[in-house]
């Protein structure tokens, strides 16, 4: 059975349809003191696929509870799919005394599963932090499908680390160039500075591609530069549309025409599902 966490219900349903597996209906309750209780009252069978994006501390706890609940209900084989893995950006201690949060979370999740599947974690090396066998899925190619027709497109990564994703989307689109900007983020203030590449953008359609849009600082800086340089249209595409706080407003003010994301996080811009890519791994 596919067992959805509360933050991945649409994706879990799509995955159930894609794989022909039945879809469990967990309940997500909360005690008066705030503690959560995620249960699987009608779980049946030996194999469980728990699908949960961990975009909040509550979601991490819910995931651990669902893993335990399916074991209690008789599952002997548990696969844990984490479409969006929170804390993946704290993959090292950046200052003395900080935790490696990604490792701490990975260890906890590993205790309740036989296998883990991650979708485009911010740093692929976080897969090594899991004690259970872990597969990393690159689902960026699905972002090409919801893009409109593009004129002389440039697929631009807002930093060098996102170049592979930009190339994946360009390849799935079937035409266009790729390039990247240089980015510097002040870790104390979070402010982002972008150093433009020399790529000609005037009168071209530009798709800025990143693994995640979180605060929107990176993407909106990139979009502003492109608009100033005369790009015809600027679109934003990301695997994980976190879009925290005022990110959508920042992007709109910067001049983005459209934001396209997947359903690893369920947002208004989640225009395409990663379910077909995940189904190949199950
Ligand atoms: C950074 O390396 C990532 O690829 C993203 O560019 C970054 O995490 C996005 O964060 P924000 O939206 O807060 O700028």
């Amino acid at each position: 059975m596919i067992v959805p966490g509360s933050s991945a219900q649409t994706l879990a349903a799509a995955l159930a349809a894609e794989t022909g597996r039945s879809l469990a209906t967990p309940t997500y309750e909360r005690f008066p003191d705030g503690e959560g209780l995620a249960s699987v009252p009608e779980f049946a069978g030996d194999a469980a696929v728990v699908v949960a994006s961990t975009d909040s501390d509550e979601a991490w706890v819910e995931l651990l509870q669902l893993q335990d609940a399916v074991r209690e209900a008789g599952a002997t084989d548990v696969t844990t799919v984490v479409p969006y893995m929170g804390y993946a950006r704290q993959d090292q201690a950046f200052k003395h005394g900080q935790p490696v949060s990604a490792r701490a979370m990975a260890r906890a999740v590993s205790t309740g599963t036989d296998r883990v599947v991650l979708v485009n974690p911010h740093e692929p090396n976080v897969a090594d932090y899991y004690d259970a066998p872990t597969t990393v899925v690159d689902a960026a190619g699905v972002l090409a499908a919801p893009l409109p027709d593009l004129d002389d497109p440039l697929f631009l990564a807002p930093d060098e680390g996102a170049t592979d994703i930009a190339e994946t989307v360009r390849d799935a689109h079937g035409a266009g160039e790729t390039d990247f900007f240089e980015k510097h983020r002040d870790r104390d203030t979070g402010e982002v500075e972008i150093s433009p590449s020399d790529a000609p953008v005037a009168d071209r359609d530009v798709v800025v591609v990143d693994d995640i849009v979180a605060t929107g600082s990176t993407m909106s800086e990139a979009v502003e530069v492109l608009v100033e340089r005369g790009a015809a249209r600027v679109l934003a595409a990301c695997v994980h549309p976190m879009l925290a706080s005022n990110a959508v407003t920042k992007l709109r003010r910067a001049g983005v025409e459209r934001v396209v994301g997947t359903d690893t996080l369920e947002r208004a811009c989640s225009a395409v599902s990663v379910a077909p890519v995940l189904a190949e791994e199950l």
Side-chain angles (χ1 to χ4, degrees):
M1 282 186 114
I2 304 283
V3 180
S6 58
S7 60
Q9 296 181 56
T10 306
L11 172 52
L15 194 54
E18 197 73 38
T19 58
R21 298 186 194 212
S22 53
L23 183 65
T25 313
T27 57
Y28 318 106
E29 297 168 279
R30 203 154 283 285
F31 290 106
D33 63 0
E35 288 185 353
L37 181 69
S39 312
V40 283
E42 32 66 288
F43 182 83
D46 298 333
V49 179
V50 178
V51 183
S53 281
T54 50
D55 55 336
S56 67
D57 291 353
E58 289 77 12
W60 279 107
V61 174
E62 188 185 279
L63 168 54
L64 298 178
Q65 290 184 338
L66 288 173
Q67 290 177 324
D68 205 69
V70 294
R71 291 260 192 230
E72 280 292 310
T76 53
D77 181 67
V78 179
T79 296
T80 300
V81 177
V82 188
Y84 169 73
M85 179 187 166
Y87 290 111
R89 284 177 289 178
Q90 186 75 16
D91 65 322
Q92 52 185 290
F94 294 99
K95 290 181 182 170
H96 177 72
Q98 286 188 347
V100 181
S101 304
R103 184 180 59 201
M105 302 323 231
R107 285 176 176 164
V109 166
S110 298
T111 61
T113 195
D114 298 288
R115 186 180 170 221
V116 177
V117 180
L118 306 175
V119 180
N120 293 94
H122 181 63
E123 297 290 349
N125 66 305
V126 299
D128 299 336
Y129 291 147
Y130 288 84
D131 297 321
T134 298
T135 306
V136 170
V137 168
D138 179 5
V142 303
L143 289 165
L147 293 175
D149 288 342
L150 299 168
D151 187 18
D152 189 19
L154 174 68
F155 293 83
L156 185 90
D159 60 41
E160 194 169 1
T163 308
D164 287 353
I165 302 187
E167 286 174 356
T168 301
V169 179
R170 187 273 315 273
D171 292 348
H173 178 72
E177 289 181 325
T178 60
D179 203 341
F180 63 90
F181 282 169
E182 301 277 356
K183 178 175 94 175
H184 172 74
R185 184 195 295 272
D186 185 314
R187 284 202 80 85
D188 293 323
T189 65
E191 279 183 28
V192 171
E193 272 179 38
I194 296 277
S195 309
S197 72
D198 295 333
V201 299
D203 303 323
R204 300 178 78 178
D205 289 340
V206 184
V207 184
V208 191
V209 186
D210 210 346
D211 61 325
I212 178 173
V213 177
T215 65
S217 296
T218 303
M219 194 62 94
S220 56
E221 279 291 318
V223 171
E224 260 176 40
V225 170
L226 292 163
V227 169
E228 277 168 18
R229 288 166 150 216
R233 293 188 297 170
V234 183
L235 298 99
C238 65
V239 178
H240 307 299
M242 167 62 72
L243 297 171
S245 185
N246 59 356
V248 171
T249 305
K250 278 167 148 169
L251 287 165
R252 291 289 176 207
R253 280 197 53 160
V256 78
E257 179 181 296
R258 187 175 165 203
V259 182
V260 172
T262 79
D263 58 356
T264 62
L265 292 166
E266 296 177 2
R267 301 288 189 269
C269 70
S270 300
V272 65
S273 181
V274 299
V277 187
L278 280 173
E280 288 173 20
E281 291 298 328
L282 297 181

